[in-house]
Amino acid sequence: MDERYDSFCVTDRLFYDSLGNATDGHTFVTGRPAPAGWATDETSDWMNYAPEGGSLPQQGWKIHVSAGVDNAERVLDAVWSYCVPRGLAFKFLRSPRIVLLRNSKYAHRAGSGKFVTIYPRDEAELELTCKELDELLVGEAGPYILSDLRYAAGPVYVRYGGFAARYCVTPDGQTVPAIADDSGTLVPDRRDPVFHVPSWVTLPDFLAPHLAARNATSTNEVPYRIEKVIHFSNGGGIYVGRDTRDDAEVVLKEARPLAGLDSDGVDAVTRLEREAAMLRRLADLPQVPRLHDEFTLGDHRFLALEFIEGRSLNNVLANRHPMVVAEVTEEDLAAYTRWARDVYTQVETAVRAIHDRGVVYGDLHMSNIMVRPDDRITLVDFEVAVAGDDNHRPGLRNQGFAAPRHIRGQAADRYALACLRLALFLPLTQLIRLSPAKAAHLADVIAENFPVPRSFLDPAVAEITAATENGGSATTGGSGTGSAPTALSGPDFAADDWPTVRDSLARAILASATPDRDDRLFPGDIEQFRSGGLNLAHGAAGVLYALAQTGADRRPEHEEWLVRRATNPLPGTRLGFYDGLHGVAYALERLDRRQDALDVIEICLRESWDRLDHSLLSGLSGVALNLADLAGRTGESALRDAAWRAAERVVDRLADDPGPDISGGSHPYAGLLRGRSGPALMLVRLYELTGDATLLEHAATALRQDLRRCVVRPNGALEVNEGWRTMPYLGQGGVGVGLALDQYLAHRPDDGFARASAAAYQAARSPMYAQTGLFAGRAGIIAYLAATVRTPEQRSDLDAQLRRLAWHAMPYGGGTAFPGEKLLRLSMDLGTGTAGVLFALGAARHHEPLTLPFLAPLAGAPELPHHGASLTTDTTGGGDLT
């Protein structure tokens, strides 16, 4: 799974939530009243303390003190007693639970270990505080802070960075914490998992010996050479390497002490030692990798393991699954079914052999199953495996395969095998964690689409049902919920009357609202905790916009929640269309709150918006479109002038295109949201306002730049090439490029673009999309088809995608909801969740025209001749797309 999402799953069973809301009632503040004359401030994770009336520089060398769960209270007592008498401002993590989660395996690596932050007023105070705290904390241990320089051998660390909350915009358009360089210009305050001193800053002399000590450890001390990084987590790294003694290829697995904690508080080193013991015990099994060596480098522990040639089952499935193409044959389905059942039999045999040796594997899922080139399987990652303990509950779990907590030992492995039976055909078993009855529904979908006998599927459903029958459905609980629909598939999204379908989704969305919270109104993607809970993509604006545009119920108190926060935004709030305040203004205008929209726009125009990137998501293309549209609605010439300034900057940047560098060059993205298709859409819309044909020429340039980053798959589908995968989706995939192509072709014919448009349509015909979201899932496919359909055959394609929404539908709050990114939790936002599905359904079924923002001419645009895009052009994908 994506490690960014794991830490957002620990707070709530149903929705992604921040660690700051994960307290269990026990905080470090209990019994510690603020000292007299001190000010306190509480944020999501931290408690801040500073003397009233005191002053600090805006940036400088700060001190971090590391601690673990077991000694955090003791460390805080010592630091508190030191800082308060000396008037040193400091902050600390609020609770033991947050300390655990901040140091967990999938926590952010750069922030792990930081328990207390202290703000010295100058370098003299920095040196004295480091020295005295180091003496005071002798014997206390904590995780190594990767972003910092360690002082001596204790838990004291230092880093140069910001004290005050200042922000800047990066070259790729992200709003990030900032510090001032030697010219006074704000630049990103780097928070990488590696110690870094800004180029204009001099390392204090007293820190030089500690930097030398840090640099003294070298891989030359061990007989292995690291050649490639496979994966990093907060617990350590996994690398491909070579044994320099015999040139044998190996996998090196690293464990950091006191870091990478699991839910039981066990650290990565303990788990690595456990893994070594289990591999020795299972050494005779051909499906288990050989253990070559164990060694220590610095204070990190390593295993050298057999290198397994092959790919993870998860990766193999993504490329081999027959339903990723539209024209799948019965022979294709039968061949895949034989292969999948053989893989399952091999895995089941391996797990039984492991059980026969008295071992519980504990972490069976598709990423831990390696498939060799000859289709033999090997199981990897035995760090949570244990011997002789049938009451064992793993401290690390993959949520698509993890049994309920009361199912333990070998029974948990059998539960994971049951999930594997289903996931090999329909990899959506994450949904079972949200609603256990979904297992039977998935089995029905599999039986309908694959030549799989029920005798293969029913035992899996029975195993899952028996394990979860006492646990109930997570989706029937929660604040504001009502009775759940009897059918887990929800309404018939293609056939039921539109108001019934719309109201079912709206009920779920409104039931999830949390107007008492300041950080969000509706639960959505984890991005809302980085970009804020206001914006169009992941915040309240997008949800309220979808509800209003589809004619669903509106709540004035929810709109007031948005207006209050958008007109008084927090420092660092983004400006972009989908990720910031411009999108909020767009939504407010469509909620008939024009003055509020103009107030938000005024805030945006006071900021340094001209440094944003080119994109529709967060940059100047979205800004230009929004300003031009609002100018057309209001007649405000200042808005029109600003729109043209933004557009001119985008045109200038189109000349800076180094080519389709998918490895991370200057412009590695393609697609509607982050690529050049967004600027192309903007330029077409401005052409419609002016009739200036030069704008169409620039749009064609932008489209060709995106098409250079696309590929046509063997089935004729245009998809964006990300190097390790290709993407069909609306936000960063082929159909988003297709939408922009169609907008251009409506004004000017182009044979290459027409072929590319036809190939983009093929990307929207697959039966299998793993997710449902608007930006990266089936909802976006539906929105594309709704804007494209012209023939009965194309209408049939749209209806088929509408019906398949049922695969992901879940009951919530007396209505129907959908999971967000990674399927681990429900989401209500526009970009990834239920509001996006609602909007896509509205585009397909609403009685009034409903399109995505800016897919129709802007306000004030005159009628121009349209040539129309042809989707009946050759769809084989051959030839030059441009």
Side-chain angles (χ1 to χ4, degrees):
M1 64 175 287
D2 187 329
E3 65 185 45
R4 295 178 307 148
Y5 283 81
D6 184 77
S7 61
F8 288 88
C9 290
V10 299
T11 302
D12 192 292
R13 289 183 64 197
L14 278 180
F15 301 114
Y16 295 122
D17 209 344
S18 67
L19 298 183
N21 293 305
T23 58
D24 54 7
H26 178 198
T27 71
F28 293 123
V29 184
T30 305
R32 283 191 179 89
W38 282 63
T40 64
D41 178 45
E42 180 177 343
T43 62
S44 61
D45 291 2
W46 299 91
M47 286 297 302
N48 300 272
Y49 286 76
E52 293 177 351
S55 63
L56 285 172
Q58 292 190 308
Q59 62 194 52
W61 289 95
K62 61 179 72 173
I63 298 171
H64 289 120
V65 179
S66 179
V69 177
D70 294 339
N71 67 338
E73 191 92 45
R74 192 167 60 244
V75 167
L76 180 58
D77 282 339
V79 174
W80 180 293
S81 298
Y82 181 85
C83 289
V84 170
R86 292 164 177 80
L88 278 168
F90 65 101
K91 68 178 182 179
F92 55 88
L93 294 178
R94 291 193 295 115
S95 74
R97 182 159 174 76
I98 294 177
V99 173
L100 172 66
L101 297 173
R102 280 276 191 140
N103 294 309
S104 65
K105 181 173 181 179
Y106 294 115
H108 183 48
R109 295 171 65 226
S112 178
K114 297 176 183 177
F115 173 49
V116 182
T117 305
I118 302 168
Y119 300 95
R121 284 161 285 225
D122 52 40
E123 289 190 7
E125 192 166 56
L126 169 76
E127 181 175 4
L128 180 63
T129 302
C130 285
K131 176 180 180 296
E132 293 183 340
L133 274 180
D134 178 63
E135 294 169 352
L136 191 63
L137 296 171
V138 168
E140 298 291 359
Y144 194 101
I145 301 175
L146 295 173
S147 63
D148 288 24
L149 175 62
R150 189 178 196 175
Y151 183 91
V156 177
Y157 296 77
V158 297
R159 182 181 82 84
Y160 189 93
F163 290 10
R166 294 190 289 176
Y167 298 87
C168 69
V169 178
T170 64
D172 65 351
Q174 301 299 311
T175 301
V176 298
I179 53 177
D181 66 13
D182 51 352
S183 70
T185 302
L186 290 180
V187 297
D189 182 2
R190 287 179 51 180
R191 301 184 179 188
D192 310 321
V194 62
F195 177 63
H196 162 76
V197 181
S199 59
W200 66 92
V201 174
T202 300
L203 184 79
D205 290 342
F206 81 94
L207 293 176
H210 305 286
L211 181 61
R214 176 186 179 276
N215 294 335
T217 301
S218 168
T219 55
N220 294 331
E221 300 173 24
V222 297
Y224 296 97
R225 180 177 67 251
I226 293 175
E227 296 185 337
K228 184 174 73 172
V229 175
I230 298 176
H231 173 70
F232 280 123
S233 75
N234 190 37
I238 301 177
Y239 315 88
V240 175
R242 293 274 176 186
D243 188 327
T244 57
R245 295 164 295 191
D246 58 10
D247 204 39
E249 196 167 22
V250 295
V251 170
L252 299 174
K253 190 168 184 178
E254 173 193 27
R256 298 176 56 218
L258 306 176
L261 305 181
D262 63 21
S263 62
D264 297 323
V266 176
D267 75 344
V269 169
T270 302
R271 290 197 305 275
L272 195 77
E273 293 169 347
R274 178 193 299 160
E275 180 167 13
M278 293 302 100
L279 291 176
R280 287 192 293 268
R281 184 172 183 139
L282 302 172
D284 63 316
L285 294 183
Q287 304 96 336
V288 175
R290 306 280 76 78
L291 173 62
H292 287 307
D293 195 5
E294 301 175 67
F295 61 92
T296 299
L297 180 61
D299 57 357
H300 293 200
R301 290 286 294 160
F302 285 82
L303 300 183
L305 304 170
E306 174 190 1
F307 176 82
I308 307 298
E309 184 182 2
R311 295 180 296 163
S312 71
L313 179 57
N314 196 51
N315 185 277
V316 172
L317 206 68
N319 291 280
R320 192 162 185 166
H321 200 285
M323 293 178 69
V324 297
V325 299
E327 282 79 20
V328 60
T329 67
E330 294 298 324
E331 291 78 11
D332 293 334
L333 292 169
Y336 177 83
T337 298
R338 289 191 296 271
W339 174 83
R341 294 189 66 180
D342 175 66
V343 167
Y344 175 81
T345 299
Q346 290 188 63
V347 175
E348 184 181 49
T349 300
V351 172
R352 285 178 176 171
I354 290 170
H355 287 179
D356 288 344
R357 284 153 180 79
V359 173
V360 177
Y361 183 24
D363 201 18
L364 177 67
H365 56 85
M366 288 199 289
S367 293
N368 280 351
I369 302 169
M370 296 294 294
V371 182
R372 297 178 187 265
D374 61 1
D375 284 337
R376 289 182 298 124
I377 68 98
T378 301
L379 303 181
V380 299
D381 199 352
F382 284 76
E383 64 179 295
V384 299
V386 295
D389 182 3
D390 212 40
N391 195 41
H392 174 62
R393 177 181 58 82
L396 296 173
R397 297 143 62 85
N398 179 288
Q399 297 194 52
F401 293 80
R405 290 189 173 272
H406 67 280
I407 302 299
R408 303 190 174 204
Q410 294 184 359
D413 284 347
R414 291 191 292 271
Y415 179 95
L417 282 169
C419 291
L420 181 63
R421 284 189 190 231
L422 303 180
L424 279 163
F425 296 94
L426 204 60
L428 305 177
T429 52
Q430 298 95 318
L431 303 180
I432 295 170
R433 295 277 294 173
L434 298 173
S435 185
K438 197 72 179 178
H441 182 219
L442 296 181
D444 290 341
V445 174
I446 294 168
E448 181 182 348
N449 288 277
F450 290 89
V452 183
R454 294 303 305 222
S455 60
F456 180 79
L457 301 172
D458 288 345
V461 175
E463 180 84 35
I464 292 168
T465 302
T468 58
E469 59 186 2
N470 296 324
S473 171
T475 56
T476 60
S479 173
T481 61
S483 59
T486 55
L488 282 173
S489 58
D492 185 328
F493 299 101
D496 285 358
D497 67 279
W498 162 237
T500 296
V501 173
R502 176 196 63 203
D503 293 348
S504 181
L505 273 67
R507 276 195 302 275
I509 291 170
L510 293 170
S512 75
T514 54
D516 55 314
R517 289 181 59 158
D518 287 327
D519 59 339
R520 73 173 192 205
L521 178 57
F522 300 99
D525 189 66
I526 66 172
E527 181 63 22
Q528 69 181 193
F529 299 105
R530 194 163 72 97
S531 62
L534 305 180
N535 60 51
L536 205 59
H538 305 300
V543 177
L544 298 178
Y545 168 70
L547 290 169
Q549 292 296 104
T550 57
D553 189 19
R554 289 173 59 177
R555 303 285 174 86
E557 64 272 23
H558 293 165
E559 296 173 17
E560 288 296 331
W561 186 100
L562 175 63
V563 170
R564 284 195 302 271
R565 288 158 178 79
T567 53
N568 294 281
L570 294 173
T573 299
R574 299 181 186 182
L575 303 177
F577 182 74
Y578 276 108
D579 72 344
L581 291 176
H582 270 279
V584 175
Y586 178 91
L588 290 173
E589 168 69 14
R590 280 142 188 86
L591 292 169
D592 301 319
R593 306 190 67 130
R594 174 164 294 174
Q595 188 55 54
D596 294 323
L598 291 172
D599 290 344
V600 173
I601 288 295
E602 184 179 351
I603 293 170
C604 293
L605 293 178
R606 289 200 300 262
E607 300 295 326
S608 301
W609 55 269
D610 57 334
R611 296 185 62 189
L612 298 174
D613 68 11
H614 65 269
S615 73
L616 179 63
L617 174 73
S618 58
L620 293 171
S621 293
V623 169
L625 283 164
N626 192 43
L627 291 172
D629 186 67
L630 194 55
R633 291 170 176 270
T634 64
E636 294 280 351
S637 60
L639 299 180
R640 185 176 296 108
D641 293 344
W644 282 105
R645 289 199 303 274
E648 288 167 358
R649 285 170 172 77
V650 173
V651 170
D652 289 342
R653 294 180 186 185
L654 292 179
D656 175 25
D657 184 71
D661 182 356
I662 59 176
S663 63
S666 299
H667 306 298
Y669 302 109
L672 189 64
L673 291 185
R674 303 183 74 179
R676 298 303 175 92
S677 292
L681 176 65
M682 180 268 293
L683 292 162
V684 169
R685 293 283 89 97
L686 296 187
Y687 162 74
E688 292 168 346
L689 287 176
T690 64
D692 181 355
T694 304
L695 294 169
L696 277 187
E697 297 294 339
H698 291 312
T701 296
L703 289 169
R704 291 190 179 97
Q705 289 173 352
D706 251 12
L707 288 172
R708 287 160 56 192
R709 295 172 171 85
C710 296
V711 296
V712 177
R713 291 177 61 89
N715 67 329
L718 179 80
E719 297 190 0
V720 169
N721 182 13
E722 294 188 348
W724 64 283
R725 64 179 179 180
T726 63
M727 298 292 281
Y729 297 119
L730 177 72
Q732 291 175 219
V735 303
V737 178
L739 278 176
L741 287 165
D742 291 346
Q743 298 298 310
Y744 177 94
L745 290 168
H747 297 289
R748 179 177 290 178
D750 184 295
D751 290 344
F753 285 174
R755 286 193 297 273
S757 172
Y761 184 83
Q762 293 304 307
R765 299 184 63 231
S766 299
M768 183 67 201
Y769 299 100
Q771 302 186 126
T772 51
L774 186 66
F775 290 168
R778 198 182 302 275
I781 299 298
I782 289 169
Y784 165 81
L785 290 173
T788 306
V789 163
R790 293 183 179 84
T791 69
E793 291 79 11
Q794 292 167 350
R795 180 70 218 188
S796 178
D797 287 337
L798 175 57
D799 287 343
Q801 298 294 6
L802 289 168
R803 287 191 296 272
R804 294 183 190 115
L805 279 173
W807 296 3
H808 291 80
M810 310 287 288
Y812 177 78
T816 304
F818 289 85
E821 287 283 306
K822 312 306 172 190
L823 311 182
L824 301 174
R825 294 293 186 269
L826 299 180
S827 171
M828 300 299 173
D829 71 28
L830 182 73
T832 70
T834 307
V837 176
L838 174 63
F839 191 91
L841 285 166
R845 302 201 55 197
H846 196 42
H847 60 278
E848 295 179 359
L850 181 59
T851 65
L852 291 165
F854 311 128
L855 284 187
L858 303 178
E863 288 290 330
L864 291 173
H866 282 213
H867 293 273
S870 172
L871 290 179
T872 58
T873 313
D874 171 35
T875 60
T876 62
D880 181 9
L881 290 177
T882 60

